[in-house]
Amino acid sequence: MSNPVSDLVLGFQGLVADVPDLVQPLIVALAGAVPFIEGEGAAAIGILGGIHPVVAACAAAIGNFLCVAVVVLASSRVRTAVTGRRGAVVKPPTARREKFEKAYHRYGTPGVSLLGPLLLPTQFTAAALTSTGVPPMRVLAWQAAAIVLWTTVVTLIITGVIRAVA
């Protein structure tokens, strides 16, 4: 049985190998926009595909951030529309929602943004933050920091600049 994420990664790796050098960073940016591949995985795809590590990391982070920005802006508009309606029915929070809100109250926007990629795609974390009422620009700033941090860390590990903790 194949893993959909593995299939996507292999597909992007093949695509990077098949396109001209000038187009390769665009493929890496596209991979960075995919949840579960993210900037970290896309940087790895680019580096393993022969793209200079700095170019691969920048393209991956930009692709990841652009997708997160679309999610945050859309989530913000949906939240505004839903909370602005009079007589809107308030649903009890789900167990997953309660778990997120507990983490949010414990770590705040910075903590959830920076630690979130260890558990969930940045798109999911960003949407959850925005839906709880965190201002979109604050979410975008902290998500950008998280994307740059994790993409850089993975790039440095892959290139051997730092060694992974074994």
Side-chain angles (χ1 to χ4, degrees), residues 24 37 53-55 61 67 74 83 85-86 89 101 105 131 143 164:
Q24 289 176 342
I37 293 179
V54 173
V55 173
C67 182
T83 58
R85 290 191 320 201
R86 293 191 184 271
V89 178
E101 288 185 14
H105 289 297
S131 71
Q143 289 299 308

Side-chain angles (χ1 to χ4, degrees), residues 52-65:
H52 189 279
V54 173
V55 173
C58 289
I62 288 167
N64 194 182
F65 181 75

Side-chain angles (χ1 to χ4, degrees), residues 10-104:
L10 291 173
F12 278 117
Q13 284 177 333
L15 194 54
V16 166
D18 291 343
V19 299
D21 291 352
L22 195 59
V23 180
Q24 289 176 342
L26 297 175
I27 302 302
V28 171
L30 183 61
V34 176
F36 297 105
I37 293 179
E38 311 267 339
E40 308 92 282
I45 289 168
I47 293 166
L48 296 174
I51 299 174
H52 189 279
V54 173
V55 173
C58 289
I62 288 167
N64 194 182
F65 181 75
L66 289 175
C67 182
V68 167
V70 168
V71 168
V72 167
L73 296 174
S75 298
S76 177
R77 289 183 142 230
V78 168
R79 183 180 195 286
T80 300
V82 169
T83 58
R85 290 191 320 201
R86 293 191 184 271
V89 178
V90 177
K91 296 179 184 177
T94 63
R96 178 177 283 162
R97 180 66 173 198
E98 286 177 353
K99 189 175 182 179
F100 173 81
E101 288 185 14
K102 183 178 177 183
Y104 178 71

